[in-house]
Structure formats: structure tokens, C-alpha cells
Amino acid sequence: MALRMQWSIEGPFSGSAGQTVRDVQKAAWWVNDGVMRIRQRANLTPYESEQLDECARMICVRMLDEADIATSRGEQWSATIGYITVTLTPAG
């Protein structure tokens, strides 16, 4: 089932994006890819980098559990952990 993904990262490395993804696993991939890109481009302190990585890890765990269940039932799922907010909505 395709999903509409809206997500944002706050802090000194803020940004947001929206796209359609094929499933929750691909949405988690995009979160991790976005965090990796921020870490490559932003001048993060080691602490900021560690915190951002931990937020991404924790939200991806929730996505692969809670979001997968909710979206398979046709429900929207949203969560914020630390710097990262993700909303997944079944598309169609």
C-alpha cells in the first residue's frame, strides 16, 4: 500500500520533506537517508550528531511497529521523537 509521508527535522539542522513511499520500510529508509545527508552537510557537534542518530533510530523502530500496523488498517500514523516528526497516511 502506498503511503504519503510528511516528515521534518528540527533544530540547527532543520528541514522537511513530503513524498509518496511504497511502504513503512521505505519511509524508514528515507528518514535514515535524510539524517545521513544532514550529518554530511551540517556542522554538527558530536553530541548533536549522536542525538539526531538516536532520534532517527527510535522513530524508525516505532514506524516499523506502530506505523506498519496502523497504516495496514488504513489509519494515519504520526509521531515525534526528539528532533524528528513523521506522519504516514495511506494513499488511496
Side-chain angles (χ1 to χ4, degrees), residues 8-84:
S8 63
I9 299 177
E10 301 301 323
F13 33 79
S14 63
S16 62
Q19 66 241 41
T20 300
V21 295
R22 72 174 177 260
D23 55 28
V24 173
Q25 290 79 15
K26 193 64 172 178
W29 182 90
W30 278 108
V31 169
N32 284 316
D33 184 66
V35 166
M36 181 185 69
R37 288 179 194 211
I38 287 169
R39 289 181 67 225
Q40 290 172 346
R41 294 182 184 146
N43 186 23
L44 302 181
T45 67
Y47 177 78
E48 289 171 330
S49 182
E50 181 180 312
Q51 291 298 304
L52 186 57
D53 284 347
E54 183 62 11
C55 292
R57 185 193 67 76
M58 290 172 33
I59 204 153
C60 286
V61 166
R62 285 189 61 191
M63 288 169 65
L64 295 170
D65 180 23
E66 297 171 16
D68 199 35
I69 293 167
T71 59
S72 69
R73 292 189 298 223
E75 300 170 1
Q76 182 182 65
W77 178 87
S78 186
T80 300
I81 296 180
Y83 302 114
I84 303 173

